[in-house]
Amino acid sequence: MEIAEELISGLAKAITGSYLVEYTPMGADEPIVTDYTPPFKRIPMIPELERLLEVKFPPATTFNQESGRKFLDDLCVKHEIECTAPRTSARLLDKLVGDLIEVQCVNPTFITEHPQIMCPLAKYHRTTPGLTERFEMFIATKEICNAYTELNDPFVQRAQFETQADAKAAGDDEAQLIDENFCTALEYGLPPTGGFGLGIDRLVMFLTNSYNIKEVLLFPAMKPDEQAATKDQPPTGTS
């Protein structure tokens, strides 16, 4: 997190000359000001949901059980948070976080310690059962970065894949199937590893006040110029 914080705050300062950067979201009349001054705010996911919803969550180890799923389902119903089928624990948690926490993240903010049920490839938390060593960074309410300690236990990884496969069978298109090759590779061994992904295109959008990603891509996907193609063809019935 410290590396991400130093990198992104440093880029903002070097490119714009200030930690305060204006960005105009699509459809907005006025720009918002995002403050890249370090340190960035850090929000542990479950404690923040407990604070906002004024309710005590069950242990994260129960989220893969029906009792944990029903608790999350009832919360979404009570607070009128929509979640389409299948209403799995992972999807319900994602909707709660999206509607309640991500909307707060105008300035660069880390959301940390995601439940294992949401992160099949992330390693379990070394002190809190049921959670993972993962963080996401949000700017202007949009995800900009995702990172976690890689899960390198082949037995736990297979169990996570099996849970994902059950969710996929229930209709969750975003869930994964069991990756036999990956599990076999883990059985040979994986040293302690960290994964880090940064949305560079989106970051450039924020730092250059561009709301359309095509404005910051060097080679954006272009639609065929049908009018030009028509001009090159001879009229019907001529040779």
Side-chain angles (χ1 to χ4, degrees):
M1 278 191 286
E2 292 178 357
I3 293 174
E5 189 174 76
E6 182 180 353
L7 171 65
I8 293 176
S9 64
L11 280 172
K13 181 72 170 178
I15 292 171
T16 68
S18 171
Y19 287 126
L20 302 179
V21 180
E22 288 191 349
Y23 174 69
T24 308
M26 184 179 294
D29 295 328
E30 298 291 335
I32 59 174
V33 177
T34 51
D35 187 352
Y36 289 80
T37 305
F40 299 161
K41 187 176 182 180
R42 303 184 181 191
I43 300 177
M45 181 182 291
I46 299 303
E48 181 68 2
L49 287 176
E50 290 179 329
R51 184 186 72 82
L52 294 170
L53 296 169
E54 299 182 342
V55 64
K56 180 66 177 176
F57 274 55
T61 51
T62 66
F63 290 155
N64 62 349
Q65 303 170 13
E66 176 57 23
S67 61
R69 192 208 66 79
K70 187 177 185 306
F71 171 83
L72 298 171
D73 198 333
D74 291 344
L75 270 182
C76 285
V77 171
K78 178 181 178 181
H79 294 277
E80 298 181 344
I81 295 174
E82 294 185 5
C83 178
T84 57
R87 295 171 71 88
T88 61
S89 292
R91 287 172 58 83
L92 291 164
L93 277 166
D94 187 62
K95 291 297 182 182
L96 286 167
V97 173
D99 282 23
L100 299 174
I101 300 180
E102 292 177 12
V103 294
Q104 306 177 41
C105 304
V106 176
N107 297 328
T109 303
F110 293 111
I111 298 178
T112 67
E113 300 179 351
H114 301 56
Q116 276 185 278
I117 197 73
M118 301 178 73
C119 320
L121 299 174
K123 193 164 188 175
Y124 42 86
H125 200 283
R126 63 194 70 190
T127 59
T128 309
L131 301 183
T132 59
E133 297 183 345
R134 177 187 177 191
F135 70 82
E136 293 177 293
M137 183 194 295
F138 287 80
I139 301 175
T141 74
K142 305 298 182 184
E143 181 185 344
I144 196 75
C145 176
N146 181 31
Y148 50 81
T149 304
E150 301 274 358
L151 178 56
N152 58 356
D153 185 322
F155 303 106
V156 176
Q157 184 63 82
R158 180 174 291 278
Q160 293 287 79
F161 277 149
E162 289 172 351
T163 301
Q164 286 280 300
D166 290 341
K168 196 169 190 69
D172 187 351
D173 294 335
E174 296 182 2
Q176 304 179 44
L177 294 173
I178 298 175
D179 189 333
E180 294 291 351
N181 291 333
F182 187 67
C183 290
T184 299
L186 286 183
E187 290 173 2
Y188 284 95
L190 174 69
T193 305
F196 179 92
L198 175 66
I200 295 177
D201 298 332
R202 183 170 283 179
L203 179 60
V204 173
M205 290 170 63
F206 291 147
L207 295 179
T208 60
N209 197 11
S210 305
Y211 68 81
N212 191 327
I213 195 170
K214 291 182 179 179
E215 297 178 25
V216 302
L217 293 177
L218 289 177
F219 303 101
M222 305 294 288
K223 292 183 178 180
D225 191 341
E226 297 179 359
Q227 185 176 0
T230 302
K231 289 181 180 178
D232 294 337
Q233 296 178 357
T236 303
T238 63
S239 57

